[in-house]
């Protein structure tokens, strides 16, 4: 994604998610209940094989 905006993006930021494991100030709960309340769909990856990913379980 960064490469698609070469003039606007100057780099990347990486961080450890270890601090979320202890759930400070209920940050992990907030993410789980709001922003990430639905499971992500696995994108197709045509460079691996022609078999599409299985549908997510409901």
């Amino acid at each position: 994604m960064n490469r698609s905006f070469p003039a606007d993006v100057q780099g990347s930021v990486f961080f450890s998610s270890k601090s979320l494991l202890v759930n400070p100030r209920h940050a992990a709960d907030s993410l789980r209940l709001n922003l990430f309340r639905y499971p992500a769909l696995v994108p197709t990856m045509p460079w691996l094989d022609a078999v599409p990913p299985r549908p997510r379980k409901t």
Side-chain angles (χ1 to χ4, degrees), residues 15 17-36:
F15 64 93
S17 61
K18 187 190 303 187
S19 61
L20 292 175
L21 294 176
V22 294
N23 205 14
R25 297 187 181 184
H26 302 283
D29 294 335
S30 178
L31 291 170
R32 182 176 47 81
L33 296 172
N34 296 298
L35 190 59
F36 298 111

Side-chain angles (χ1 to χ4, degrees), residues 2-3 5-6 9-10 13-15 18-19 21 23 25 29 31 40 42-45 47-48 50 53 56 58:
N2 286 357
R3 291 185 193 116
F5 301 101
V9 177
Q10 303 285 321
V13 175
F14 299 93
F15 64 93
K18 187 190 303 187
S19 61
L21 294 176
N23 205 14
R25 297 187 181 184
D29 294 335
L31 291 170
V42 178
T44 57
M45 295 176 235
W47 61 89
L48 294 178
R56 73 175 185 93
T58 55

